[in-house]
Amino acid sequence: MIEGLLREYQKELLLKNNVKTTIERKLYQVKTFLKWCNSQNIELSGINSADIEIYLLQKSTKRGVQVQNREVIHHFFDICINRGILFENPAAEISIRTTTEERQFSVPSIEEISRITERIRMVDTLTALRDYAMFEMAFGSGARIGELVSLDIEDVNITEKTTMLKGKGRGEKKCRFVPLTDVSVKAIQEYITRRNALNGALFISVTGKRMTVSAIYQRFKLWSAWNPHLFRKAFCTCMARNGCSCEMLSRLLGHNQASTLNHYSHLTTADLHNNLHRSHPRSPSFSAMN
């Protein structure tokens, strides 16, 4: 029975356009929870909200981890309800509170990012040039680490100063075009010129293969105390503080589902460029206005 439920859960994840790594992670989380229930002699049909709360607290004290596991368990129990194994979802009653400490997060400032990129620029190697371009892409466009991995040279339009980012999920509907700062464009152009490359993966390892998520993460940690996602948060923070509208920022970050992008149809590429060049500290017009 459990195997059948897991297969059905996996099918639903595929239908929702989850990427392979997300599906594997969610299946692992469900299996870990079911294994814990078995160790506690708790039958699937007898699980209640108190059991789930105990599991979540034992799993981690971090709210983010608890929320993620709770959502996965909730989704799995929805399938159990559809199959008639449960009549109500015990995970629906669970509310995970945010502490004051967890609401606060630290992101690198523009001064810290400048110090990091200046230090990278002092090293005259192809690897350092690649890392510099990665840092500028993460901060200059708010790209996710997975989007940095999947970037191809053909995705970057040097002339129009735009790039296509392949977002979370599958298919063309998950792709978005975003403008690039002048610094990002110059860094990418210098890197691909030095590589003498015209197509293929933008960021490659010393062996010539496309860099992995783990490899990019390690390069960020080598040069700084910050992981790549915090550079995405720094992008968001800088843009918001300097007047970028919420709807424009949401589009730049790719936070919207394809079904909710219709009300953004009146926004043009020029609108995106104007907002970026007015709000991002890497843009020449930003310096002139401030």
Side-chain angles (χ1 to χ4, degrees):
M1 180 182 70
I2 295 295
E3 290 300 320
L5 290 170
L6 289 172
R7 283 195 296 270
E8 191 170 337
Y9 178 59
Q10 184 174 10
K11 287 180 182 178
E12 285 213 13
L13 294 177
L14 285 167
L15 289 173
K16 290 179 180 292
N17 288 320
N18 285 273
V19 295
K20 181 182 177 182
T21 52
T22 300
I23 293 173
E24 290 174 349
R25 187 256 302 168
K26 290 185 175 182
L27 281 172
Y28 174 78
Q29 288 173 321
V30 170
K31 289 177 181 178
T32 302
F33 171 67
L34 293 174
K35 186 177 180 180
W36 177 85
C37 290
N38 186 55
S39 70
Q40 302 297 311
N41 296 317
I42 302 173
E43 295 289 337
L44 186 61
S45 58
I47 295 173
N48 56 46
S49 59
D51 296 326
I52 301 172
E53 287 178 336
I54 292 171
Y55 171 75
L56 294 176
L57 287 171
Q58 290 182 1
K59 186 70 178 174
S60 176
T61 57
K62 294 182 178 179
R63 179 183 180 275
V65 177
Q66 292 177 355
V67 169
Q68 193 179 76
N69 277 274
R70 183 253 179 202
E71 289 176 350
V72 167
I73 294 169
H74 188 286
H75 187 190
F76 179 73
F77 281 152
D78 281 342
I79 294 173
C80 294
I81 292 172
N82 293 337
R83 292 280 292 269
I85 299 171
L86 296 174
F87 295 102
E88 58 182 19
N89 197 322
E93 303 173 14
I94 299 172
S95 177
I96 300 172
R97 297 180 179 179
T98 306
T99 64
T100 303
E101 292 78 11
E102 288 172 325
R103 289 193 191 100
Q104 300 172 348
F105 63 87
S106 176
V107 298
S109 65
I110 178 62
E111 292 79 17
E112 288 169 317
I113 292 173
S114 294
R115 284 196 293 269
I116 293 167
T117 53
E118 285 169 8
R119 189 166 69 251
I120 299 174
R121 291 293 285 164
M122 292 175 67
V123 182
D124 186 23
T125 64
L126 181 60
T127 300
L129 198 57
R130 177 204 64 198
D131 292 351
Y132 174 64
M134 286 196 302
F135 271 81
E136 288 298 345
M137 273 296 297
F139 178 54
S141 68
R144 300 178 177 94
I145 185 170
E147 292 168 346
L148 294 177
V149 170
S150 61
L151 260 178
D152 291 322
I153 293 174
E154 304 95 300
D155 296 332
V156 182
N157 189 319
I158 297 295
T159 304
E160 295 186 6
K161 299 180 181 179
T162 59
T163 187
M164 181 178 72
L165 296 178
K166 306 176 185 78
K168 297 171 75 174
R170 301 180 178 192
E172 292 183 2
K173 64 182 180 180
K174 292 295 182 179
C175 297
R176 69 186 187 281
F177 287 90
V178 298
L180 297 174
T181 65
D182 291 346
V183 177
S184 297
V185 171
K186 186 177 179 181
I188 293 170
Q189 189 170 26
E190 190 176 351
Y191 170 55
I192 59 178
T193 300
R194 181 95 167 254
R195 266 182 58 191
N196 194 26
L198 298 175
N199 51 50
L202 177 59
F203 299 119
I204 61 173
S205 66
V206 292
T207 61
K209 296 181 179 179
R210 185 185 298 273
M211 293 189 74
T212 62
V213 168
S214 176
I216 291 180
Y217 186 91
Q218 289 173 10
R219 298 307 296 180
F220 271 76
K221 297 299 286 185
L222 174 68
W223 291 107
S224 72
W226 314 93
N227 66 54
H229 189 65
L230 290 178
F231 282 80
R232 175 174 163 85
K233 284 188 174 182
F235 167 86
C236 178
T237 302
C238 284
M239 295 289 282
R241 284 176 179 170
N242 291 299
C244 184
S245 67
C246 291
E247 62 173 0
M248 193 69 71
L249 189 53
S250 294
R251 183 171 177 181
L252 288 168
L253 291 171
H255 276 168
N256 300 92
Q257 299 293 327
S259 59
T260 63
L261 283 177
N262 293 332
H263 65 284
Y264 291 122
S265 59
H266 65 283
L267 301 176
T268 65
T269 302
D271 292 325
L272 294 176
H273 272 290
N274 291 336
N275 270 267
L276 182 133
H277 294 311
R278 185 181 68 248
S279 306
H280 201 283
R282 278 283 198 252
S283 300
S285 54
F286 176 87
S287 300
M289 293 174 64
N290 292 273

